[in-house]
Amino acid sequence: MLEIRPNCEHCGKDLPNTSTEAMICSFECTYCKECALEIFENVCPTCSGNFVSRPIRPQKFIEKYPASIKRVFDKKDLEKARLNSNKYKNINPEER
């Protein structure tokens, strides 16, 4: 089950469960759309996977399965991230 992390790991922007700005990779690294698409060019700076929009957990399940309250903040080295993005942004997913 997804943790539904509460913030962008790079810039710290709040991304509550209802946010349509949240993007995740296959390891659930969580970034806002601006960081995921504009800064990291759709390449996760941690795992080199791509990003997809994070789903919104329906309100009727939030009480039983609450979103995470643990904030993860790990501002990335932008030069290293740029090199990673350039290396992987146009590669077929099977080649990552």
Side-chain angles (χ1 to χ4, degrees):
M1 176 167 311
L2 294 175
E3 290 180 22
I4 312 289
R5 296 177 186 169
N7 64 292
C8 175
E9 294 180 27
H10 180 67
C11 74
K13 179 179 182 176
D14 288 338
L15 298 170
N17 173 58
T18 56
S19 177
T20 58
E21 295 294 311
M23 305 288 288
I24 59 173
C25 72
S26 65
F27 289 96
E28 206 177 343
C29 297
T30 303
Y31 297 91
C32 65
K33 277 188 180 178
E34 183 176 348
C35 288
L37 302 179
E38 294 179 23
I39 294 175
F40 302 123
E41 301 181 45
N42 201 37
V43 177
C44 178
T46 304
C47 72
S48 303
N50 66 314
F51 290 105
V52 297
S53 292
R54 183 185 70 193
I56 295 172
R57 184 164 296 149
Q59 192 61 39
K60 65 182 181 181
F61 293 114
I62 286 294
E63 188 173 315
K64 186 173 181 180
Y65 306 104
S68 176
I69 58 170
K70 181 181 177 189
R71 296 180 71 85
V72 176
F73 186 72
D74 183 22
K75 197 161 182 76
K76 303 300 180 195
D77 176 329
L78 294 181
E79 181 59 26
K80 185 177 177 184
R82 185 185 63 75
L83 293 172
N84 191 51
S85 292
N86 287 338
K87 183 176 180 181
Y88 292 107
K89 68 183 175 183
N90 295 315
I91 291 180
N92 183 329
E94 288 81 37
E95 296 174 5
R96 288 184 194 220

Coordinates of all heavy atoms in Angstrom, one line a residue:
M1 N 0.8 -1.2 0.0 CA 0.0 0.0 0.0 C 0.9 1.2 0.0 O 1.9 1.3 0.7 CB -0.9 0.0 1.2 CG -1.7 1.2 1.4 SD -3.0 1.2 2.6 CE -3.8 -0.3 2.2
L2 N 0.5 2.2 -0.8 CA 1.3 3.5 -0.9 C 1.3 4.2 0.5 O 0.2 4.3 1.2 CB 0.7 4.4 -1.9 CG 0.8 3.9 -3.4 CD1 0.0 4.9 -4.3 CD2 2.2 3.8 -3.8
E3 N 2.4 4.8 0.8 CA 2.5 5.6 2.0 C 1.8 6.9 1.9 O 1.3 7.5 2.9 CB 4.0 5.9 2.3 CG 4.8 4.7 2.7 CD 6.2 5.1 3.0 OE1 6.5 6.3 3.3 OE2 7.1 4.2 2.9
I4 N 1.7 7.5 0.7 CA 1.1 8.8 0.4 C 2.0 9.8 1.3 O 1.5 10.4 2.2 CB -0.4 8.9 0.8 CG1 -1.2 7.8 0.1 CG2 -0.9 10.3 0.3 CD1 -1.3 7.8 -1.4
R5 N 3.2 10.0 0.9 CA 4.1 10.9 1.6 C 3.6 12.3 1.5 O 3.1 12.7 0.5 CB 5.5 10.7 1.1 CG 6.1 9.3 1.3 CD 7.4 9.1 0.7 NE 7.8 7.7 0.9 CZ 8.9 7.2 0.3 NH1 9.7 7.9 -0.5 NH2 9.2 5.9 0.5
P6 N 3.9 13.1 2.5 CA 3.2 14.4 2.6 C 3.9 15.6 2.0 O 3.4 16.7 2.1 CB 3.2 14.6 4.2 CG 4.4 13.9 4.7 CD 4.5 12.7 3.8
N7 N 5.1 15.4 1.3 CA 5.8 16.5 0.8 C 6.7 16.1 -0.3 O 7.1 14.9 -0.5 CB 6.6 17.2 1.9 CG 7.7 16.3 2.4 OD1 7.5 15.3 3.1 ND2 9.0 16.7 2.1
C8 N 7.2 17.1 -1.1 CA 8.2 16.9 -2.1 C 9.5 16.7 -1.5 O 9.9 17.5 -0.6 CB 8.2 18.2 -3.0 SG 9.6 18.1 -4.3
E9 N 10.2 15.7 -1.8 CA 11.5 15.3 -1.2 C 12.6 16.3 -1.6 O 13.6 16.4 -0.9 CB 11.9 13.9 -1.6 CG 10.9 12.9 -1.0 CD 11.3 11.5 -1.4 OE1 12.5 11.2 -1.6 OE2 10.4 10.6 -1.4
H10 N 12.4 17.1 -2.6 CA 13.4 18.0 -3.1 C 13.2 19.4 -2.5 O 14.1 20.0 -1.9 CB 13.6 18.0 -4.6 CG 14.6 18.9 -5.1 ND1 16.0 18.7 -4.9 CD2 14.5 20.1 -5.8 CE1 16.7 19.7 -5.4 NE2 15.8 20.6 -6.0
C11 N 12.0 20.0 -2.8 CA 11.8 21.4 -2.4 C 11.0 21.5 -1.1 O 10.9 22.6 -0.6 CB 11.1 22.1 -3.5 SG 9.3 21.7 -3.8
G12 N 10.4 20.4 -0.6 CA 9.6 20.5 0.6 C 8.2 20.9 0.5 O 7.5 20.9 1.5
K13 N 7.7 21.1 -0.7 CA 6.3 21.6 -0.9 C 5.4 20.5 -0.3 O 5.5 19.3 -0.5 CB 6.0 21.7 -2.4 CG 4.6 22.1 -2.7 CD 4.4 22.3 -4.2 CE 3.0 22.7 -4.6 NZ 2.9 23.0 -6.0
D14 N 4.3 21.0 0.4 CA 3.3 20.1 0.9 C 2.5 19.4 -0.2 O 2.1 20.1 -1.2 CB 2.3 20.9 1.8 CG 2.9 21.4 3.1 OD1 3.9 20.8 3.5 OD2 2.4 22.3 3.7
L15 N 2.4 18.1 -0.1 CA 1.6 17.3 -1.0 C 0.6 16.4 -0.3 O 0.9 15.2 -0.1 CB 2.6 16.5 -1.9 CG 3.6 17.3 -2.7 CD1 4.6 16.3 -3.3 CD2 2.8 18.0 -3.8
P16 N -0.5 17.0 0.2 CA -1.4 16.2 1.0 C -2.0 15.1 0.1 O -1.9 15.2 -1.2 CB -2.4 17.2 1.4 CG -2.3 18.3 0.5 CD -0.9 18.4 0.1
N17 N -2.7 14.2 0.7 CA -3.4 13.1 -0.1 C -4.2 13.6 -1.3 O -4.2 12.9 -2.3 CB -4.3 12.3 0.9 CG -5.1 11.2 0.1 OD1 -4.5 10.4 -0.5 ND2 -6.4 11.3 0.2
T18 N -4.8 14.7 -1.2 CA -5.7 15.2 -2.2 C -4.9 16.0 -3.3 O -5.6 16.4 -4.3 CB -6.8 16.1 -1.7 OG1 -6.2 17.1 -0.9 CG2 -7.7 15.3 -0.8
S19 N -3.6 16.1 -3.2 CA -2.9 16.9 -4.2 C -2.8 16.2 -5.5 O -2.5 15.0 -5.6 CB -1.5 17.1 -3.7 OG -0.7 17.8 -4.6
T20 N -3.1 17.0 -6.6 CA -2.9 16.5 -8.0 C -1.5 16.9 -8.5 O -1.2 16.6 -9.6 CB -4.0 17.1 -8.9 OG1 -3.9 18.5 -8.8 CG2 -5.4 16.6 -8.5
E21 N -0.7 17.5 -7.6 CA 0.7 17.9 -8.0 C 1.7 16.8 -7.6 O 2.9 17.0 -7.9 CB 1.0 19.2 -7.3 CG 0.2 20.4 -7.7 CD 0.5 20.7 -9.2 OE1 1.7 20.8 -9.6 OE2 -0.5 20.9 -9.9
A22 N 1.3 15.7 -6.9 CA 2.3 14.7 -6.4 C 2.6 13.7 -7.5 O 1.8 13.2 -8.2 CB 1.7 14.0 -5.2
M23 N 3.9 13.5 -7.7 CA 4.4 12.5 -8.6 C 5.3 11.5 -7.8 O 6.0 11.9 -6.9 CB 5.3 13.2 -9.7 CG 4.7 14.3 -10.4 SD 3.4 13.8 -11.6 CE 4.5 13.1 -12.9
I24 N 5.2 10.2 -8.2 CA 6.0 9.2 -7.6 C 6.7 8.3 -8.6 O 6.3 8.2 -9.7 CB 5.1 8.3 -6.6 CG1 4.0 7.6 -7.4 CG2 4.6 9.1 -5.5 CD1 3.2 6.6 -6.6
C25 N 7.8 7.7 -8.1 CA 8.5 6.7 -9.0 C 8.1 5.3 -8.4 O 7.3 5.2 -7.5 CB 10.0 6.9 -8.9 SG 10.7 6.4 -7.3
S26 N 8.7 4.2 -9.0 CA 8.3 2.9 -8.5 C 8.7 2.6 -7.1 O 8.2 1.6 -6.5 CB 8.9 1.8 -9.5 OG 10.3 1.8 -9.4
F27 N 9.6 3.4 -6.5 CA 10.0 3.2 -5.1 C 9.2 4.2 -4.2 O 9.6 4.3 -3.0 CB 11.5 3.3 -4.9 CG 12.2 2.1 -5.5 CD1 12.8 2.2 -6.8 CD2 12.4 1.0 -4.8 CE1 13.5 1.1 -7.3 CE2 13.1 -0.1 -5.3 CZ 13.6 -0.1 -6.6
E28 N 8.3 4.9 -4.8 CA 7.5 5.9 -4.1 C 8.2 7.1 -3.6 O 7.8 7.8 -2.7 CB 6.7 5.2 -2.9 CG 5.4 6.0 -2.6 CD 4.6 5.4 -1.5 OE1 4.8 4.2 -1.2 OE2 3.7 6.1 -1.0
C29 N 9.4 7.4 -4.2 CA 10.0 8.7 -4.0 C 9.0 9.7 -4.5 O 8.3 9.5 -5.5 CB 11.3 8.8 -4.9 SG 12.6 7.7 -4.5
T30 N 8.8 10.7 -3.7 CA 7.7 11.7 -4.0 C 8.2 13.1 -4.2 O 9.0 13.6 -3.5 CB 6.7 11.7 -2.7 OG1 6.3 10.3 -2.5 CG2 5.5 12.6 -3.0
Y31 N 7.7 13.6 -5.4 CA 8.1 15.0 -5.8 C 6.9 15.7 -6.3 O 6.0 15.1 -6.7 CB 9.2 14.9 -6.9 CG 10.5 14.3 -6.4 CD1 10.7 12.9 -6.5 CD2 11.5 15.0 -5.8 CE1 11.9 12.3 -6.1 CE2 12.6 14.4 -5.3 CZ 12.8 13.1 -5.5 OH 14.0 12.5 -5.0
C32 N 7.0 17.1 -6.2 CA 5.9 17.9 -6.9 C 6.2 17.8 -8.4 O 7.2 17.4 -8.8 CB 6.0 19.3 -6.3 SG 7.4 20.2 -6.8
K33 N 5.1 18.1 -9.1 CA 5.2 18.1 -10.6 C 6.4 19.0 -11.1 O 7.1 18.6 -12.0 CB 3.9 18.5 -11.2 CG 2.9 17.4 -11.3 CD 1.7 17.8 -12.2 CE 0.7 16.7 -12.2 NZ -0.5 17.0 -13.0
E34 N 6.5 20.1 -10.5 CA 7.6 21.1 -11.0 C 8.9 20.4 -10.9 O 9.7 20.4 -11.8 CB 7.5 22.4 -10.2 CG 8.5 23.4 -10.7 CD 8.4 24.7 -10.0 OE1 7.4 25.0 -9.3 OE2 9.3 25.5 -10.2
C35 N 9.2 19.9 -9.7 CA 10.5 19.2 -9.5 C 10.7 18.0 -10.4 O 11.7 17.8 -11.1 CB 10.8 18.8 -8.1 SG 11.1 20.3 -7.0
A36 N 9.7 17.1 -10.4 CA 9.7 15.9 -11.2 C 9.9 16.1 -12.7 O 10.7 15.4 -13.3 CB 8.5 15.0 -10.9
L37 N 9.1 17.0 -13.2 CA 9.2 17.2 -14.7 C 10.1 18.3 -15.1 O 10.8 18.1 -16.2 CB 7.7 17.5 -15.1 CG 6.7 16.4 -14.8 CD1 5.3 16.8 -15.3 CD2 7.1 15.0 -15.3
E38 N 10.2 19.4 -14.4 CA 11.1 20.5 -14.9 C 12.5 20.3 -14.4 O 13.4 20.6 -15.2 CB 10.5 21.8 -14.5 CG 9.2 22.1 -15.2 CD 8.5 23.4 -14.8 OE1 9.3 24.3 -14.3 OE2 7.3 23.5 -14.9
I39 N 12.7 20.0 -13.2 CA 14.1 19.9 -12.7 C 14.7 18.5 -13.0 O 15.8 18.4 -13.6 CB 14.1 20.1 -11.2 CG1 13.8 21.6 -10.9 CG2 15.5 19.8 -10.6 CD1 13.6 21.9 -9.4
F40 N 14.0 17.4 -12.8 CA 14.5 16.1 -13.0 C 14.1 15.4 -14.3 O 14.5 14.3 -14.6 CB 14.1 15.2 -11.8 CG 14.6 15.7 -10.5 CD1 13.7 16.0 -9.5 CD2 15.9 16.0 -10.2 CE1 14.1 16.5 -8.2 CE2 16.4 16.5 -9.0 CZ 15.4 16.7 -8.0
E41 N 13.4 16.2 -15.1 CA 13.0 15.8 -16.5 C 12.4 14.3 -16.5 O 12.8 13.6 -17.4 CB 14.2 15.9 -17.4 CG 14.7 17.3 -17.5 CD 15.9 17.5 -18.4 OE1 15.8 17.0 -19.5 OE2 16.9 18.2 -18.0
N42 N 11.6 14.0 -15.6 CA 10.9 12.8 -15.5 C 11.8 11.6 -15.3 O 11.5 10.4 -15.6 CB 10.0 12.5 -16.8 CG 8.9 11.5 -16.5 OD1 8.3 11.5 -15.4 ND2 8.6 10.7 -17.5
V43 N 12.9 11.8 -14.6 CA 13.8 10.7 -14.2 C 14.1 10.9 -12.7 O 14.6 11.9 -12.3 CB 15.2 10.8 -15.0 CG1 16.1 9.7 -14.5 CG2 14.9 10.7 -16.5
C44 N 13.7 9.9 -12.0 CA 13.9 9.9 -10.5 C 15.4 10.0 -10.2 O 16.2 9.2 -10.7 CB 13.4 8.7 -9.8 SG 13.6 8.7 -8.1
P45 N 15.8 11.1 -9.4 CA 17.3 11.2 -9.1 C 17.8 10.1 -8.2 O 19.0 10.0 -8.1 CB 17.3 12.6 -8.5 CG 16.0 12.8 -7.9 CD 15.0 12.1 -8.8
T46 N 16.9 9.3 -7.6 CA 17.4 8.3 -6.7 C 17.5 6.9 -7.5 O 18.6 6.3 -7.4 CB 16.4 8.1 -5.6 OG1 16.3 9.4 -4.9 CG2 16.9 7.0 -4.6
C47 N 16.5 6.5 -8.2 CA 16.5 5.2 -8.8 C 16.6 5.2 -10.4 O 16.7 4.1 -11.0 CB 15.3 4.4 -8.4 SG 13.7 5.0 -9.1
S48 N 16.5 6.4 -11.0 CA 16.5 6.5 -12.4 C 15.3 6.1 -13.1 O 15.2 6.0 -14.4 CB 17.8 5.9 -13.1 OG 18.9 6.4 -12.5
G49 N 14.2 5.7 -12.4 CA 12.9 5.4 -13.0 C 12.2 6.6 -13.4 O 12.6 7.7 -13.1
N50 N 11.0 6.4 -14.0 CA 10.2 7.6 -14.4 C 9.2 7.9 -13.3 O 9.1 7.2 -12.3 CB 9.5 7.3 -15.7 CG 8.5 6.2 -15.6 OD1 8.8 5.1 -15.0 ND2 7.3 6.4 -16.2
F51 N 8.5 9.0 -13.5 CA 7.5 9.4 -12.5 C 6.1 9.2 -13.1 O 5.9 9.3 -14.4 CB 7.6 10.9 -12.2 CG 8.9 11.2 -11.4 CD1 10.0 11.8 -11.9 CD2 8.9 10.9 -10.0 CE1 11.1 12.1 -11.2 CE2 10.0 11.1 -9.2 CZ 11.1 11.8 -9.8
V52 N 5.1 9.0 -12.3 CA 3.7 9.0 -12.6 C 3.0 9.8 -11.6 O 3.5 10.0 -10.5 CB 3.1 7.5 -12.7 CG1 3.8 6.7 -13.8 CG2 3.2 6.8 -11.4
S53 N 1.8 10.2 -11.9 CA 1.0 10.9 -10.9 C 0.6 10.0 -9.8 O 0.2 8.9 -10.0 CB -0.3 11.5 -11.6 OG 0.0 12.5 -12.5
R54 N 0.7 10.5 -8.6 CA 0.4 9.7 -7.4 C -1.2 9.7 -7.3 O -1.8 10.7 -7.4 CB 0.9 10.3 -6.2 CG 0.7 9.5 -4.9 CD 1.2 10.1 -3.7 NE 0.4 11.3 -3.3 CZ 0.7 12.2 -2.5 NH1 1.8 12.1 -1.8 NH2 -0.1 13.3 -2.2
P55 N -1.7 8.5 -7.1 CA -3.2 8.4 -7.0 C -3.6 9.1 -5.6 O -2.8 9.2 -4.7 CB -3.5 6.9 -7.0 CG -2.2 6.3 -6.6 CD -1.1 7.2 -7.0
I56 N -4.9 9.5 -5.6 CA -5.5 10.0 -4.4 C -6.2 8.9 -3.7 O -7.1 8.3 -4.3 CB -6.4 11.2 -4.7 CG1 -5.5 12.3 -5.3 CG2 -7.2 11.7 -3.5 CD1 -6.3 13.5 -5.9
R57 N -5.9 8.7 -2.4 CA -6.7 7.7 -1.7 C -8.0 8.3 -1.3 O -8.2 9.4 -0.8 CB -5.9 7.4 -0.4 CG -6.6 6.3 0.4 CD -5.6 5.7 1.5 NE -4.5 5.0 0.8 CZ -3.3 5.0 1.3 NH1 -3.0 5.4 2.5 NH2 -2.3 4.4 0.6
P58 N -9.1 7.5 -1.7 CA -10.5 8.0 -1.4 C -10.6 8.3 0.1 O -10.1 7.6 1.0 CB -11.4 6.8 -1.8 CG -10.5 6.1 -2.8 CD -9.1 6.2 -2.3
Q59 N -11.4 9.4 0.4 CA -11.5 9.8 1.8 C -12.1 8.7 2.7 O -11.7 8.7 3.8 CB -12.5 11.1 1.8 CG -12.5 11.8 3.1 CD -11.1 12.3 3.5 OE1 -10.4 12.8 2.7 NE2 -10.8 12.2 4.8
K60 N -12.9 7.9 2.1 CA -13.6 6.8 3.0 C -12.5 5.8 3.5 O -12.8 5.1 4.4 CB -14.7 6.1 2.2 CG -14.2 5.3 1.0 CD -15.4 4.7 0.3 CE -15.0 3.9 -0.9 NZ -16.1 3.2 -1.6
F61 N -11.3 5.8 2.9 CA -10.3 4.9 3.4 C -9.2 5.6 4.2 O -8.3 4.9 4.8 CB -9.6 4.2 2.2 CG -10.6 3.2 1.5 CD1 -11.0 3.5 0.2 CD2 -11.0 2.1 2.1 CE1 -11.8 2.6 -0.4 CE2 -11.9 1.2 1.5 CZ -12.3 1.5 0.2
I62 N -9.2 6.9 4.3 CA -8.1 7.6 5.0 C -8.1 7.3 6.4 O -7.0 7.1 7.0 CB -8.3 9.1 4.7 CG1 -7.8 9.5 3.3 CG2 -7.5 9.9 5.7 CD1 -6.3 9.2 3.0
E63 N -9.2 7.1 7.1 CA -9.2 6.8 8.5 C -8.6 5.4 8.8 O -7.8 5.3 9.7 CB -10.6 6.9 9.1 CG -10.6 6.7 10.6 CD -12.0 6.9 11.2 OE1 -12.7 7.9 10.8 OE2 -12.4 6.1 12.1
K64 N -9.0 4.5 8.0 CA -8.4 3.1 8.2 C -7.0 3.0 7.7 O -6.2 2.3 8.2 CB -9.3 2.1 7.5 CG -8.9 0.7 7.7 CD -10.0 -0.3 7.2 CE -9.5 -1.8 7.5 NZ -10.5 -2.7 7.0
Y65 N -6.7 3.7 6.6 CA -5.4 3.6 5.9 C -4.8 5.0 5.8 O -4.8 5.6 4.7 CB -5.4 2.9 4.6 CG -6.1 1.6 4.6 CD1 -7.4 1.4 4.1 CD2 -5.4 0.5 5.1 CE1 -8.0 0.1 4.2 CE2 -6.0 -0.8 5.1 CZ -7.3 -0.9 4.7 OH -7.8 -2.2 4.7
P66 N -4.4 5.7 6.9 CA -4.0 7.1 6.8 C -2.7 7.3 5.9 O -1.9 6.4 5.8 CB -3.7 7.4 8.2 CG -3.5 6.2 8.9 CD -4.2 5.1 8.2
A67 N -2.7 8.5 5.4 CA -1.5 8.9 4.7 C -0.3 9.1 5.7 O -0.6 9.4 6.8 CB -1.8 10.2 3.9
S68 N 0.9 9.0 5.2 CA 2.1 9.1 6.0 C 2.1 10.6 6.5 O 1.8 11.5 5.8 CB 3.3 8.8 5.3 OG 4.5 9.0 6.0
I69 N 2.7 10.7 7.7 CA 2.9 12.1 8.2 C 4.4 12.3 8.3 O 4.9 13.4 8.7 CB 2.3 12.3 9.6 CG1 2.8 11.3 10.6 CG2 0.8 12.3 9.5 CD1 2.3 11.6 12.1
K70 N 5.2 11.3 8.0 CA 6.7 11.4 8.0 C 7.2 12.2 6.8 O 7.0 11.7 5.7 CB 7.3 10.0 8.1 CG 8.8 10.1 8.1 CD 9.5 8.7 8.2 CE 11.0 8.8 8.2 NZ 11.6 7.5 8.0
R71 N 7.8 13.3 7.1 CA 8.3 14.1 6.0 C 9.7 13.7 5.6 O 10.5 13.5 6.4 CB 8.3 15.6 6.4 CG 6.9 16.2 6.6 CD 6.9 17.6 7.0 NE 7.3 18.5 5.9 CZ 6.4 18.9 5.0 NH1 5.2 18.6 5.1 NH2 6.8 19.7 4.1
V72 N 9.9 13.5 4.3 CA 11.2 13.1 3.8 C 11.7 14.4 3.0 O 11.0 14.9 2.1 CB 11.1 11.9 2.8 CG1 12.5 11.6 2.2 CG2 10.6 10.7 3.6
F73 N 12.9 14.9 3.4 CA 13.5 16.0 2.7 C 14.9 15.7 2.4 O 15.7 15.5 3.4 CB 13.3 17.3 3.5 CG 13.8 18.5 2.8 CD1 13.0 19.1 1.8 CD2 14.9 19.1 3.2 CE1 13.5 20.2 1.1 CE2 15.4 20.3 2.6 CZ 14.6 20.8 1.5
D74 N 15.3 15.6 1.2 CA 16.6 15.2 0.8 C 17.0 16.0 -0.5 O 16.9 15.4 -1.6 CB 16.7 13.7 0.6 CG 18.1 13.2 0.2 OD1 19.1 13.9 0.5 OD2 18.2 12.1 -0.4
K75 N 17.2 17.3 -0.3 CA 17.5 18.1 -1.5 C 18.6 17.5 -2.3 O 19.7 17.1 -1.8 CB 17.9 19.5 -1.0 CG 17.8 20.5 -2.1 CD 17.8 21.9 -1.5 CE 17.6 23.0 -2.5 NZ 16.3 23.1 -3.1
K76 N 18.4 17.3 -3.6 CA 19.3 16.6 -4.5 C 20.4 17.6 -5.0 O 20.2 18.8 -5.2 CB 18.5 16.0 -5.7 CG 17.4 15.0 -5.2 CD 18.0 13.9 -4.5 CE 16.9 12.9 -4.0 NZ 17.3 12.0 -3.0
D77 N 21.5 17.0 -5.4 CA 22.6 17.7 -6.0 C 22.1 17.8 -7.5 O 22.0 16.9 -8.2 CB 23.9 16.8 -6.0 CG 25.0 17.3 -6.7 OD1 24.8 18.0 -7.8 OD2 26.2 17.1 -6.3
L78 N 21.9 19.1 -7.9 CA 21.3 19.3 -9.2 C 22.2 19.0 -10.4 O 21.7 18.6 -11.4 CB 20.8 20.8 -9.3 CG 19.7 21.2 -8.3 CD1 19.3 22.6 -8.5 CD2 18.5 20.2 -8.5
E79 N 23.5 19.1 -10.2 CA 24.4 18.7 -11.3 C 24.4 17.2 -11.5 O 24.3 16.7 -12.6 CB 25.8 19.2 -11.0 CG 26.8 18.8 -12.1 CD 26.5 19.4 -13.4 OE1 25.8 20.5 -13.5 OE2 27.0 18.8 -14.4
K80 N 24.4 16.5 -10.4 CA 24.3 15.0 -10.5 C 23.0 14.6 -11.1 O 22.9 13.7 -11.9 CB 24.5 14.4 -9.1 CG 24.6 12.9 -9.1 CD 24.9 12.4 -7.7 CE 24.8 10.9 -7.7 NZ 25.0 10.3 -6.3
A81 N 21.9 15.3 -10.6 CA 20.6 14.9 -11.1 C 20.5 15.2 -12.6 O 19.9 14.5 -13.4 CB 19.5 15.7 -10.4
R82 N 21.1 16.4 -13.1 CA 21.0 16.7 -14.5 C 21.7 15.6 -15.3 O 21.3 15.2 -16.4 CB 21.7 18.1 -14.7 CG 21.6 18.5 -16.2 CD 22.3 19.8 -16.4 NE 23.8 19.7 -16.2 CZ 24.6 19.1 -17.0 NH1 24.2 18.6 -18.1 NH2 25.9 19.1 -16.7
L83 N 22.9 15.2 -14.9 CA 23.6 14.1 -15.6 C 22.8 12.8 -15.6 O 22.7 12.2 -16.7 CB 25.0 13.9 -14.9 CG 26.0 15.0 -15.0 CD1 27.2 14.7 -14.1 CD2 26.4 15.3 -16.4
N84 N 22.1 12.5 -14.5 CA 21.3 11.3 -14.5 C 20.1 11.5 -15.4 O 19.8 10.5 -16.2 CB 20.8 11.1 -13.0 CG 20.1 9.8 -12.8 OD1 20.6 8.8 -13.2 ND2 18.9 9.9 -12.2
S85 N 19.5 12.6 -15.5 CA 18.3 12.9 -16.3 C 18.8 12.8 -17.8 O 18.1 12.1 -18.6 CB 17.7 14.3 -16.1 OG 17.1 14.3 -14.8
N86 N 19.9 13.4 -18.1 CA 20.4 13.3 -19.5 C 20.7 11.9 -20.0 O 20.5 11.5 -21.1 CB 21.6 14.2 -19.7 CG 21.3 15.7 -19.7 OD1 20.2 16.1 -19.9 ND2 22.3 16.5 -19.4
K87 N 21.2 11.1 -19.0 CA 21.5 9.7 -19.3 C 20.3 8.8 -19.6 O 20.3 8.0 -20.4 CB 22.4 9.1 -18.2 CG 22.8 7.7 -18.5 CD 23.8 7.2 -17.3 CE 24.3 5.8 -17.6 NZ 25.1 5.4 -16.5
Y88 N 19.2 9.1 -18.8 CA 18.1 8.2 -18.8 C 16.8 8.7 -19.4 O 15.9 7.9 -19.6 CB 17.8 7.7 -17.4 CG 18.9 6.8 -16.8 CD1 19.8 7.3 -15.9 CD2 19.1 5.5 -17.3 CE1 20.8 6.5 -15.4 CE2 20.1 4.7 -16.8 CZ 20.9 5.2 -15.9 OH 21.9 4.4 -15.4
K89 N 16.6 10.0 -19.7 CA 15.3 10.5 -20.0 C 14.8 10.0 -21.4 O 13.6 9.9 -21.5 CB 15.3 12.0 -20.0 CG 16.2 12.7 -21.0 CD 16.1 14.2 -20.9 CE 17.0 14.9 -21.8 NZ 17.0 16.3 -21.6
N90 N 15.6 9.6 -22.3 CA 15.1 9.1 -23.6 C 15.3 7.6 -23.8 O 15.3 7.1 -24.9 CB 15.8 9.9 -24.7 CG 15.4 11.3 -24.7 OD1 14.2 11.6 -24.5 ND2 16.3 12.2 -24.8
I91 N 15.6 6.9 -22.7 CA 15.9 5.5 -22.8 C 14.6 4.7 -22.6 O 13.8 5.0 -21.8 CB 17.0 5.0 -21.8 CG1 18.3 5.6 -22.2 CG2 17.1 3.5 -21.7 CD1 19.4 5.3 -21.2
N92 N 14.5 3.6 -23.4 CA 13.4 2.7 -23.3 C 13.4 2.1 -21.8 O 14.4 1.8 -21.3 CB 13.6 1.5 -24.3 CG 12.5 0.5 -24.3 OD1 11.8 0.3 -23.3 ND2 12.3 -0.1 -25.5
P93 N 12.2 2.1 -21.2 CA 12.2 1.6 -19.8 C 12.9 0.3 -19.5 O 13.4 0.1 -18.5 CB 10.7 1.5 -19.5 CG 10.0 2.5 -20.5 CD 10.9 2.4 -21.7
E94 N 12.9 -0.6 -20.5 CA 13.5 -1.9 -20.3 C 15.0 -1.8 -20.2 O 15.7 -2.7 -19.7 CB 13.2 -2.9 -21.4 CG 11.7 -3.4 -21.4 CD 10.7 -2.4 -22.0 OE1 11.0 -1.8 -23.0 OE2 9.6 -2.3 -21.4
E95 N 15.6 -0.7 -20.7 CA 17.0 -0.5 -20.7 C 17.5 0.2 -19.4 O 18.7 0.4 -19.2 CB 17.4 0.4 -21.9 CG 17.1 -0.4 -23.2 CD 17.4 0.5 -24.4 OE1 17.9 1.7 -24.3 OE2 17.1 0.1 -25.6
R96 N 16.6 0.7 -18.6 CA 17.0 1.4 -17.4 C 17.6 0.4 -16.5 O 18.1 0.2 -15.6 CB 15.9 2.2 -16.7 CG 15.5 3.4 -17.5 CD 14.4 4.1 -16.8 NE 13.9 5.1 -17.8 CZ 13.5 6.3 -17.5 NH1 13.7 6.8 -16.3 NH2 13.1 7.1 -18.4

